Amino acid sequence: MAPRLQLEKAAWRWVEAVRPEEITAEHIELAYRICVPACKRGACRRNCKGNPNCLIGIGEHVWLGDIDENSFHNIDDPNSERRDKNTFVGLTNLGATCYVNTFLQVWFHNLELRRTLYLCQSSRAEGHNDDSDYEPQTVCEHLQYLFALLQNSNRRYIDPSGLVKALGLDTGQQQDAQEFSKLFLSLLEDTLSKQKNPNLQNVIQQQFCGQFSYVTVCNQCSRASSLPSRFYELELNIQGHKNLTECVTEFLKEEKLDGDNRYFCESCQNKQNATRRIKLQSLPRTLNLQLMRFVFDRQTGHKKKLNTFISFPEVLDMGPFLDCKEDTCVYELSAVLIHRGISAYSGHYIAHARDARTSDWYKFNDELIEKMEGKKLQLGIEEDIAETVKSSQARKPKCGKGYHCSRNAYMLVYKQQAEGGNQTNASVEVPAFLQKLVEQDNRKFEEWCSDMAEMRKKSIDKGKAKHEEVKELYELLPAEDGRRAVRVRPVGLAEEVAG
């Protein structure tokens, strides 16, 4: 028989010999074990089922020991939202806007672009008072305010929803990152062209615009025709290539025009076989190289991602690719944009960018920012993709010194190397009218921190008081040995036993 059943039988054994009218309080105390000595703490491994005065194993360990004060509230430490010293500010992912955040961080680290945007006139910002929150209207106003916050905000990360809304983007749908880059720069160029300051009107062209020509040569008469064109990035095919040099070489290679694709020659006045190639005429200060990872699959009728490794250098000499030599054609890698995932329709975007002031590399992953060690670009887990990927390159190829390999990089940003390798004018000051707005937002943040800290303290104080109250109550609960903890009148028990 189980010990518990044995205790029950022993406690009620007197029922067989005692008549109902002879039942006393002692019988009741014996039956219900009211006067059984209370168990001492540490004497029992679990609650004693046969002893009603055993207060062990009823959850008392939660209250009688030391309690972490954080268990008294569900309010995060507001200081965890505060920007650490000498770090950059992150951007909130609004659902599927990581691709927007990566470009914003890369453009923010373009000091010349940031400095120029700060010069844009904004009567709305300059005339704003502290009685209400500042609400930018134009894309330019949104961007310069966002850059000012990224530079001097006390927050660990900021919300870019104002700019995203102004651009009319769907926060729940991931857009084509490369297409977004083109459209945004085009929109910004159009906006800046309307500025009164002539130094602002052509800043996008000066920063990002280069020129090449489509040169077509007739095989019959050798007449060459040239069609100039501007570019803001070079779209490089990566299929079948292993390094950046091969990609650029293919972009500039000669193409044969024959058969149905013959060229109409102005001199011959009829269609002739011809050759066509692209000749680079001039390069911008910031050279954007789009690695065409997302391509159309004719078999499925959908886009797919090419997960092949491409090697690229930290220092890129574009001299051999230029049709006419320029004074400065050596570039330094300043940013790498990464797409994590195996599908062209999903995944996550992050950016690696180099701080122009210190040459330190940082990884920008929405709200999270990580500084790379040793002033070196470290792509790390960005190259870890699912094992289901069917790729001929199962292992990462070895890269020489000064080179990096990636099968997830889809855009490389190179900055024109300064003469002598020195960074010039690497500091950008936030103008007074924008700094005033930043300080207003910082005050709001500090007030929020104070409110949260006060709420947190009140919850902790309330929890500690409850803790002490429960401990005092627990000390009163066990019955003293030899005394009845509860006085019970045996009214009705006789009827129960008799029944």
Side-chain angles (χ1 to χ4, degrees):
M1 186 180 296
R4 181 180 179 184
L5 295 178
Q6 291 177 350
L7 288 172
E8 288 285 341
K9 188 173 181 180
W12 290 90
R13 189 173 297 156
W14 55 267
V15 173
E16 301 172 359
V18 178
R19 291 181 297 178
E21 62 271 16
E22 295 175 348
I23 295 175
T24 65
E26 284 71 18
H27 291 114
I28 297 171
E29 291 173 356
L30 179 62
Y32 291 102
R33 286 152 283 180
I34 293 174
C35 291
V36 176
C39 296
K40 303 298 182 183
R41 289 189 65 188
C44 308
R45 294 179 60 186
R46 60 180 64 88
N47 187 261
C48 299
K49 301 298 183 181
N51 186 358
N53 291 325
C54 179
L55 301 180
I56 307 301
I58 58 174
E60 78 287 348
H61 64 282
V62 175
W63 290 94
L64 298 183
D66 294 332
I67 300 181
D68 183 0
E69 64 180 27
N70 290 322
S71 63
F72 295 132
H73 65 86
N74 58 357
I75 303 173
D76 292 334
D77 183 359
N79 286 317
S80 65
E81 303 295 306
R82 189 182 301 280
R83 176 184 186 177
D84 293 330
K85 188 177 181 181
N86 297 325
T87 59
F88 290 105
V89 176
L91 291 166
T92 304
N93 190 335
L94 305 176
T97 58
C98 51
Y99 70 100
V100 178
N101 292 344
T102 57
F103 280 108
L104 290 176
Q105 292 287 9
V106 169
W107 292 329
F108 171 77
H109 279 77
N110 186 318
L111 300 187
E112 294 178 65
L113 177 62
R114 195 199 318 172
R115 187 181 296 111
T116 303
L117 279 172
Y118 285 162
L119 297 176
C120 291
Q121 292 183 341
S122 175
S123 57
R124 186 178 292 102
E126 293 174 6
H128 177 74
N129 57 59
D130 295 345
D131 297 335
S132 60
D133 294 337
Y134 173 58
E135 296 182 357
Q137 299 297 320
T138 67
V139 171
C140 190
E141 288 177 351
H142 276 287
L143 195 58
Q144 66 175 192
Y145 180 48
L146 189 70
F147 279 7
L149 288 172
L150 286 174
Q151 185 167 339
N152 288 341
S153 177
N154 290 346
R155 302 177 188 268
R156 187 166 63 86
Y157 52 85
I158 58 178
D159 185 349
S161 56
L163 175 61
V164 171
K165 185 177 180 180
L167 293 173
L169 300 175
D170 183 354
T171 59
Q173 183 177 0
Q174 198 170 82
Q175 306 291 333
D176 186 310
Q178 295 170 330
E179 190 66 21
F180 168 75
S181 172
K182 297 177 188 176
L183 293 176
F184 187 83
L185 286 179
S186 177
L187 177 62
L188 191 59
E189 181 180 21
D190 181 64
T191 302
L192 292 174
S193 66
K194 299 173 184 177
Q195 289 283 324
K196 296 180 180 179
N197 188 340
N199 295 326
L200 303 179
Q201 295 173 358
N202 298 319
V203 64
I204 299 299
Q205 292 185 28
Q206 293 170 355
Q207 275 295 309
F208 303 102
C209 185
Q211 185 168 317
F212 57 65
S213 296
Y214 293 98
V215 179
T216 307
V217 179
C218 176
N219 288 357
Q220 182 67 27
C221 67
S222 299
R223 178 182 181 273
S225 63
S226 179
L227 178 64
S229 178
R230 298 190 308 173
F231 69 89
Y232 292 87
E233 63 270 317
L234 296 180
E235 299 180 350
L236 305 178
N237 174 43
I238 65 171
Q239 198 160 17
H241 300 307
K242 296 180 179 179
N243 56 59
L244 188 61
T245 300
E246 292 179 3
C247 297
V248 178
T249 301
E250 189 206 356
F251 180 79
L252 301 175
K253 76 175 182 179
E254 187 175 270
E255 175 189 6
K256 292 183 179 181
L257 304 179
D258 52 20
D260 294 337
N261 197 30
R262 287 186 300 169
Y263 163 72
F264 184 84
C265 178
E266 294 286 345
S267 296
C268 300
Q269 286 297 303
N270 57 19
K271 287 187 175 183
Q272 298 288 351
N273 291 341
T275 58
R276 176 178 292 166
R277 57 168 298 194
I278 294 174
K279 289 188 177 182
L280 286 176
Q281 306 295 335
S282 63
L283 296 173
R285 299 173 189 171
T286 302
L287 180 62
N288 293 327
L289 302 179
Q290 295 277 11
L291 304 181
M292 305 304 290
R293 290 203 175 272
F294 309 109
V295 297
F296 182 75
D297 189 343
R298 294 180 181 272
Q299 294 182 346
T300 63
H302 298 284
K303 283 198 305 182
K304 68 176 182 179
K305 180 183 177 183
L306 301 176
N307 293 291
T308 53
F309 280 106
I310 292 295
S311 169
F312 51 91
E314 293 180 358
V315 178
L316 175 64
D317 184 4
M318 290 295 291
F321 304 109
L322 278 173
D323 187 54
C324 52
K325 297 297 181 181
E326 290 188 356
D327 294 336
T328 307
C329 53
V330 178
Y331 288 79
E332 292 180 321
L333 185 66
S334 66
V336 180
L337 281 77
I338 297 287
H339 173 266
R340 290 179 182 170
I342 61 175
S343 170
Y345 295 98
S346 62
H348 183 59
Y349 292 90
I350 65 171
H352 292 260
R354 183 168 58 88
D355 184 1
R357 301 166 303 166
T358 64
S359 296
D360 290 320
W361 279 92
Y362 290 83
K363 179 169 71 174
F364 295 88
N365 183 7
D366 292 330
E367 297 92 344
L368 303 176
I369 297 175
E370 180 184 352
K371 181 180 179 182
M372 303 289 101
E373 295 181 1
K375 299 183 183 297
K376 294 181 180 179
L377 171 63
Q378 300 171 26
L379 297 180
I381 62 170
E382 282 68 61
E383 299 312 315
D384 296 337
I385 57 177
E387 296 180 357
T388 56
V389 177
K390 296 180 180 179
S391 173
S392 59
Q393 291 179 292
R395 293 184 178 181
K396 181 179 180 180
K398 293 183 179 181
C399 293
K401 186 177 181 181
Y403 284 80
H404 300 277
C405 294
S406 173
R407 57 180 167 188
N408 287 322
Y410 70 93
M411 181 172 175
L412 306 175
V413 180
Y414 284 90
K415 289 285 293 180
Q416 204 170 61
Q417 193 176 69
E419 294 184 7
N422 298 321
Q423 291 293 338
T424 58
N425 202 10
S427 63
V428 180
E429 296 295 330
V430 176
F433 75 94
L434 284 175
Q435 182 59 29
K436 180 181 177 181
L437 298 174
V438 172
E439 290 172 357
Q440 181 184 0
D441 183 75
N442 284 341
R443 285 194 296 270
K444 283 179 57 180
F445 173 69
E446 296 300 335
E447 290 172 2
W448 176 84
C449 286
S450 298
D451 292 343
M452 290 297 103
E454 183 63 25
M455 289 175 59
R456 199 166 181 260
K457 183 178 182 302
K458 287 181 179 179
S459 296
I460 291 174
D461 292 342
K462 186 177 180 180
K464 288 182 176 179
K466 181 73 175 294
H467 184 203
E468 293 300 321
E469 181 182 349
V470 171
K471 287 200 296 184
E472 292 175 4
L473 179 61
Y474 188 82
E475 295 298 327
L476 298 175
L477 286 178
E480 297 180 15
D481 294 347
R483 296 185 61 184
R484 296 170 185 163
V486 182
R487 291 291 181 180
V488 181
R489 294 180 63 188
V491 178
L493 182 62
E495 290 79 0
E496 178 184 337
V497 175

PDB file of all heavy atoms in Angstrom, residues 15 41 56 74 125 146 159 190 213 259 262-263 300 325 332 453:
ATOM      1  N   VAL A  15     -12.376   5.782  13.679  1.00  0.00           N
ATOM      2  CA  VAL A  15     -13.782   5.798  13.256  1.00  0.00           C
ATOM      3  C   VAL A  15     -14.456   4.451  13.525  1.00  0.00           C
ATOM      4  O   VAL A  15     -15.647   4.380  13.841  1.00  0.00           O
ATOM      5  CB  VAL A  15     -13.864   6.158  11.757  1.00  0.00           C
ATOM      6  CG1 VAL A  15     -15.298   6.021  11.258  1.00  0.00           C
ATOM      7  CG2 VAL A  15     -13.344   7.564  11.523  1.00  0.00           C
ATOM      8  N   ARG A  41      12.514  23.715   6.867  1.00  0.00           N
ATOM      9  CA  ARG A  41      13.085  23.979   5.547  1.00  0.00           C
ATOM     10  C   ARG A  41      14.365  23.190   5.366  1.00  0.00           C
ATOM     11  O   ARG A  41      15.226  23.166   6.234  1.00  0.00           O
ATOM     12  CB  ARG A  41      13.381  25.465   5.366  1.00  0.00           C
ATOM     13  CG  ARG A  41      12.148  26.329   5.235  1.00  0.00           C
ATOM     14  CD  ARG A  41      12.527  27.748   4.847  1.00  0.00           C
ATOM     15  NE  ARG A  41      13.133  27.790   3.515  1.00  0.00           N
ATOM     16  CZ  ARG A  41      13.688  28.869   2.986  1.00  0.00           C
ATOM     17  NH1 ARG A  41      13.734  30.001   3.684  1.00  0.00           N
ATOM     18  NH2 ARG A  41      14.196  28.845   1.772  1.00  0.00           N
ATOM     19  N   ILE A  56       6.712  23.105   2.364  1.00  0.00           N
ATOM     20  CA  ILE A  56       7.862  22.953   1.475  1.00  0.00           C
ATOM     21  C   ILE A  56       7.364  22.567   0.083  1.00  0.00           C
ATOM     22  O   ILE A  56       6.421  21.776  -0.053  1.00  0.00           O
ATOM     23  CB  ILE A  56       8.821  21.860   2.002  1.00  0.00           C
ATOM     24  CG1 ILE A  56       9.205  22.143   3.468  1.00  0.00           C
ATOM     25  CG2 ILE A  56      10.070  21.781   1.118  1.00  0.00           C
ATOM     26  CD1 ILE A  56       9.890  23.479   3.678  1.00  0.00           C
ATOM     27  N   ASN A  74       8.562  44.462 -16.696  1.00  0.00           N
ATOM     28  CA  ASN A  74       8.826  44.036 -18.078  1.00  0.00           C
ATOM     29  C   ASN A  74       9.270  45.230 -18.923  1.00  0.00           C
ATOM     30  O   ASN A  74       9.017  45.291 -20.121  1.00  0.00           O
ATOM     31  CB  ASN A  74       7.588  43.387 -18.690  1.00  0.00           C
ATOM     32  CG  ASN A  74       6.383  44.318 -18.681  1.00  0.00           C
ATOM     33  OD1 ASN A  74       6.461  45.435 -18.156  1.00  0.00           O
ATOM     34  ND2 ASN A  74       5.278  43.892 -19.253  1.00  0.00           N
ATOM     35  N   ALA A 125      12.601  73.843 -42.210  1.00  0.00           N
ATOM     36  CA  ALA A 125      13.473  73.438 -41.106  1.00  0.00           C
ATOM     37  C   ALA A 125      14.066  74.646 -40.394  1.00  0.00           C
ATOM     38  O   ALA A 125      14.152  74.682 -39.161  1.00  0.00           O
ATOM     39  CB  ALA A 125      14.595  72.536 -41.628  1.00  0.00           C
ATOM     40  N   LEU A 146      17.476  63.082 -41.775  1.00  0.00           N
ATOM     41  CA  LEU A 146      17.870  61.716 -41.422  1.00  0.00           C
ATOM     42  C   LEU A 146      19.380  61.623 -41.245  1.00  0.00           C
ATOM     43  O   LEU A 146      19.877  61.002 -40.295  1.00  0.00           O
ATOM     44  CB  LEU A 146      17.403  60.747 -42.505  1.00  0.00           C
ATOM     45  CG  LEU A 146      17.531  59.253 -42.202  1.00  0.00           C
ATOM     46  CD1 LEU A 146      16.538  58.825 -41.138  1.00  0.00           C
ATOM     47  CD2 LEU A 146      17.329  58.429 -43.460  1.00  0.00           C
ATOM     48  N   ASP A 159      14.171  55.899 -36.671  1.00  0.00           N
ATOM     49  CA  ASP A 159      13.081  55.403 -37.505  1.00  0.00           C
ATOM     50  C   ASP A 159      13.057  56.167 -38.838  1.00  0.00           C
ATOM     51  O   ASP A 159      12.851  57.375 -38.851  1.00  0.00           O
ATOM     52  CB  ASP A 159      11.761  55.602 -36.752  1.00  0.00           C
ATOM     53  CG  ASP A 159      10.572  55.005 -37.481  1.00  0.00           C
ATOM     54  OD1 ASP A 159      10.731  54.631 -38.653  1.00  0.00           O
ATOM     55  OD2 ASP A 159       9.482  54.921 -36.880  1.00  0.00           O
ATOM     56  N   ASP A 190      16.996  65.041 -59.623  1.00  0.00           N
ATOM     57  CA  ASP A 190      15.948  65.951 -60.083  1.00  0.00           C
ATOM     58  C   ASP A 190      15.616  66.988 -59.021  1.00  0.00           C
ATOM     59  O   ASP A 190      15.421  68.173 -59.328  1.00  0.00           O
ATOM     60  CB  ASP A 190      14.702  65.152 -60.457  1.00  0.00           C
ATOM     61  CG  ASP A 190      13.579  66.045 -60.974  1.00  0.00           C
ATOM     62  OD1 ASP A 190      13.754  66.673 -62.026  1.00  0.00           O
ATOM     63  OD2 ASP A 190      12.532  66.108 -60.299  1.00  0.00           O
ATOM     64  N   SER A 213      30.886  55.424 -74.327  1.00  0.00           N
ATOM     65  CA  SER A 213      30.348  55.537 -75.685  1.00  0.00           C
ATOM     66  C   SER A 213      30.186  54.155 -76.292  1.00  0.00           C
ATOM     67  O   SER A 213      31.023  53.268 -76.079  1.00  0.00           O
ATOM     68  CB  SER A 213      31.281  56.368 -76.573  1.00  0.00           C
ATOM     69  OG  SER A 213      31.370  57.695 -76.104  1.00  0.00           O
ATOM     70  N   GLY A 259      24.039  38.831 -89.335  1.00  0.00           N
ATOM     71  CA  GLY A 259      22.746  38.179 -89.498  1.00  0.00           C
ATOM     72  C   GLY A 259      21.601  39.172 -89.355  1.00  0.00           C
ATOM     73  O   GLY A 259      21.608  40.264 -89.939  1.00  0.00           O
ATOM     74  N   ARG A 262      22.418  42.885 -88.038  1.00  0.00           N
ATOM     75  CA  ARG A 262      23.380  43.728 -88.754  1.00  0.00           C
ATOM     76  C   ARG A 262      23.105  45.205 -88.536  1.00  0.00           C
ATOM     77  O   ARG A 262      21.991  45.618 -88.242  1.00  0.00           O
ATOM     78  CB  ARG A 262      23.364  43.403 -90.248  1.00  0.00           C
ATOM     79  CG  ARG A 262      24.004  42.067 -90.613  1.00  0.00           C
ATOM     80  CD  ARG A 262      24.083  41.894 -92.118  1.00  0.00           C
ATOM     81  NE  ARG A 262      22.758  41.927 -92.734  1.00  0.00           N
ATOM     82  CZ  ARG A 262      22.544  42.002 -94.039  1.00  0.00           C
ATOM     83  NH1 ARG A 262      23.570  42.072 -94.872  1.00  0.00           N
ATOM     84  NH2 ARG A 262      21.309  42.027 -94.509  1.00  0.00           N
ATOM     85  N   TYR A 263      24.160  45.999 -88.746  1.00  0.00           N
ATOM     86  CA  TYR A 263      24.142  47.440 -88.458  1.00  0.00           C
ATOM     87  C   TYR A 263      23.902  48.222 -89.757  1.00  0.00           C
ATOM     88  O   TYR A 263      24.498  47.915 -90.803  1.00  0.00           O
ATOM     89  CB  TYR A 263      25.475  47.813 -87.813  1.00  0.00           C
ATOM     90  CG  TYR A 263      25.813  49.284 -87.807  1.00  0.00           C
ATOM     91  CD1 TYR A 263      25.140  50.177 -86.973  1.00  0.00           C
ATOM     92  CD2 TYR A 263      26.835  49.767 -88.637  1.00  0.00           C
ATOM     93  CE1 TYR A 263      25.479  51.516 -86.971  1.00  0.00           C
ATOM     94  CE2 TYR A 263      27.180  51.113 -88.624  1.00  0.00           C
ATOM     95  CZ  TYR A 263      26.489  51.986 -87.797  1.00  0.00           C
ATOM     96  OH  TYR A 263      26.814  53.316 -87.785  1.00  0.00           O
ATOM     97  N   THR A 300      12.244  28.860 -66.117  1.00  0.00           N
ATOM     98  CA  THR A 300      11.172  28.993 -65.129  1.00  0.00           C
ATOM     99  C   THR A 300      10.308  30.220 -65.355  1.00  0.00           C
ATOM    100  O   THR A 300       9.193  30.304 -64.842  1.00  0.00           O
ATOM    101  CB  THR A 300      11.758  29.053 -63.712  1.00  0.00           C
ATOM    102  OG1 THR A 300      12.582  30.231 -63.588  1.00  0.00           O
ATOM    103  CG2 THR A 300      12.606  27.819 -63.423  1.00  0.00           C
ATOM    104  N   LYS A 325      43.255  58.274 -70.878  1.00  0.00           N
ATOM    105  CA  LYS A 325      43.813  58.267 -69.532  1.00  0.00           C
ATOM    106  C   LYS A 325      43.353  59.490 -68.742  1.00  0.00           C
ATOM    107  O   LYS A 325      43.288  60.606 -69.260  1.00  0.00           O
ATOM    108  CB  LYS A 325      45.340  58.232 -69.586  1.00  0.00           C
ATOM    109  CG  LYS A 325      45.889  56.973 -70.238  1.00  0.00           C
ATOM    110  CD  LYS A 325      45.521  55.730 -69.433  1.00  0.00           C
ATOM    111  CE  LYS A 325      46.093  54.474 -70.069  1.00  0.00           C
ATOM    112  NZ  LYS A 325      45.725  53.260 -69.308  1.00  0.00           N
ATOM    113  N   GLU A 332      39.528  53.058 -54.187  1.00  0.00           N
ATOM    114  CA  GLU A 332      39.594  52.257 -52.970  1.00  0.00           C
ATOM    115  C   GLU A 332      38.194  51.758 -52.621  1.00  0.00           C
ATOM    116  O   GLU A 332      37.218  52.514 -52.718  1.00  0.00           O
ATOM    117  CB  GLU A 332      40.151  53.072 -51.804  1.00  0.00           C
ATOM    118  CG  GLU A 332      41.606  53.438 -51.937  1.00  0.00           C
ATOM    119  CD  GLU A 332      42.103  54.256 -50.741  1.00  0.00           C
ATOM    120  OE1 GLU A 332      41.348  55.112 -50.253  1.00  0.00           O
ATOM    121  OE2 GLU A 332      43.236  54.020 -50.309  1.00  0.00           O
ATOM    122  N   ALA A 453      12.730  55.063 -16.884  1.00  0.00           N
ATOM    123  CA  ALA A 453      13.514  54.740 -15.693  1.00  0.00           C
ATOM    124  C   ALA A 453      12.664  54.895 -14.436  1.00  0.00           C
ATOM    125  O   ALA A 453      12.766  54.088 -13.497  1.00  0.00           O
ATOM    126  CB  ALA A 453      14.752  55.635 -15.620  1.00  0.00           C
TER     127      ALA A 453
END
